[in-house]
Amino acid sequence: MTVPFDIKGCVALVTGASRGIGRACALQLAQAGAIVYACARSEDALRELAEASEGVRVCVLDLRDEVMVEELASEIMEAHGRLDLLVNNAGVLGPRASLDQTSAEALREVLEINVVGAFNVLSASYPALRAASLPRVINLSSSVGRKGRAQWGAYSISKFGLEGLSEIAADELGEDAVVVTLNPGGTATDMRAEAYPDEDPETLPSAEDVAQTIVLLARQLRADLSGKRFSSRALFDLAKESSDDVVELPTD
Ligand SMILES: NC(=O)c1ccc[n+]([C@@H]2O[C@H](COP(=O)([O-])OP(=O)(O)OC[C@H]3O[C@@H](n4cnc5c(N)ncnc54)[C@H](OP(=O)(O)O)[C@@H]3O)[C@@H](O)[C@H]2O)c1
């Protein structure tokens, strides 16, 4: 590859697009000319997103519902014959508690969305991803999905699961695809406010800043980077430059 991918005409699916990083990502991809499918559970927020951008097609679904996820993947395949970019972004925080204060039920709920939900989307998208010339999958992870930390139990376990899901998909989809994880780092969103209620969001990068790093990865990922881990913090400067040349992407 001698030039970055052109986002224009790229068929993309962004999960968790009703707010936060997913919403900003859907808007920026559409702004760059992608055909964006955006999903989440909140119907009103998705309607507002569709009104904000002509390039975004919204779909109200719960990722835990594998039938609805299959239907969306089939709809994309029928309409476009391929999926060039999957941004597995949807997630929940769950309880911030030590393991002995986390119930099995609470753990199951977080895993059901952050791991099973991501699995549902990724596995249902395999046919459409395989039909693309170099499909890219970006899974939104976390620093606590790479190193365990006290009081992050269920969420941390789920992000380790997502890292594993990514590695498996990178191996299965082989050299004709790029599957990576991205740790956005602390970002001013509802989820961050839930985790750190006393923090001033003004001190954090915005969802739009992180979305720029997703667009950067979408343009610049090459097959030899499949299976790698990235962090938005290390990509902010490159993302702002938005170079038309191929750039070296720092991995974790
Ligand atoms: N913000 C941070 O500081 C931070 C740091 C590290 C990692 N991350 C990761 O980055 C990603 C985005 O986080 P964010 O901060 O933007 O979170 P957010 O503002 O809470 O948004 C989460 C999104 O996920 C969707 N979602 C949750 N459960 C769903 C379900 N069952 N089915 C479909 N959609 C569902 C939500 O939509 P509905 O509620 O409408 O369904 C929402 O659009 C997450 O994977 C998160 O773990 C964030």
Side-chain angles (χ1 to χ4, degrees):
M1 190 180 81
T2 51
V3 289
F5 286 100
D6 194 350
I7 298 290
K8 199 163 187 294
C10 166
V11 181
L13 169 58
V14 181
T15 70
S18 59
R19 60 177 183 271
I21 295 167
R23 183 180 191 280
C25 176
L27 285 171
Q28 287 187 23
L29 288 170
Q31 172 83 32
I35 300 158
V36 182
Y37 286 80
C39 62
R41 292 166 301 181
S42 308
E43 196 172 350
D44 289 351
L46 287 183
R47 191 178 312 113
E48 193 268 329
L49 173 64
E51 282 165 11
S53 174
E54 270 184 19
V56 180
R57 298 150 198 219
V58 296
C59 178
V60 180
L61 58 72
D62 188 320
L63 295 179
R64 292 169 289 190
D65 184 338
E66 66 253 48
V67 175
M68 287 198 76
V69 171
E70 278 282 354
E71 282 173 4
L72 175 60
S74 300
E75 183 189 326
I76 294 171
M77 190 62 175
E78 276 162 31
H80 307 285
R82 67 183 202 283
L83 178 63
D84 300 300
L85 175 67
L86 168 60
V87 183
N88 247 326
N89 162 82
V92 291
L93 180 66
R96 285 283 319 274
S98 60
L99 294 178
D100 62 338
Q101 297 297 318
T102 302
S103 67
E105 186 51 30
L107 172 60
R108 257 183 233 115
E109 275 175 28
V110 174
L111 293 178
E112 191 69 18
I113 295 176
N114 294 3
V115 181
V116 182
F119 159 82
N120 286 342
V121 178
L122 182 54
S123 58
S125 300
Y126 263 29
L129 288 168
R130 284 193 162 120
S133 59
L134 186 64
R136 284 139 281 156
V137 178
I138 302 169
N139 294 314
L140 271 284
S141 184
S142 165
S143 51
V144 297
R146 296 171 180 176
K147 187 174 188 322
R149 202 185 304 159
Q151 311 294 328
W152 285 86
Y155 179 79
S156 180
I157 295 166
S158 76
K159 292 300 185 182
F160 271 95
L162 190 72
E163 292 278 347
L165 186 70
S166 257
E167 282 189 20
I168 295 164
D171 206 32
E172 285 178 353
L173 293 171
E175 59 192 26
D176 297 328
V178 198
V179 184
V180 302
T181 59
L182 176 68
N183 167 24
T187 310
T189 67
D190 290 359
M191 184 186 285
R192 178 74 184 190
E194 191 185 337
Y196 294 95
D198 298 330
E199 188 176 53
D200 176 1
E202 295 290 323
T203 61
L204 294 169
S206 66
E208 287 70 26
D209 292 331
V210 170
Q212 280 184 0
T213 69
I214 297 173
V215 174
L216 173 77
L217 289 180
R219 296 183 69 226
Q220 296 278 353
L221 281 175
R222 304 179 314 265
D224 60 312
L225 292 169
S226 195
K228 303 282 188 205
R229 299 164 168 187
F230 293 90
S231 287
S232 291
R233 291 282 191 286
L235 299 173
F236 280 149
D237 290 344
L238 281 174
K240 285 193 192 333
E241 281 167 23
S242 176
S243 172
D244 284 330
D245 298 323
V246 171
V247 298
E248 227 21 72
L249 297 171
T251 58
D252 268 20

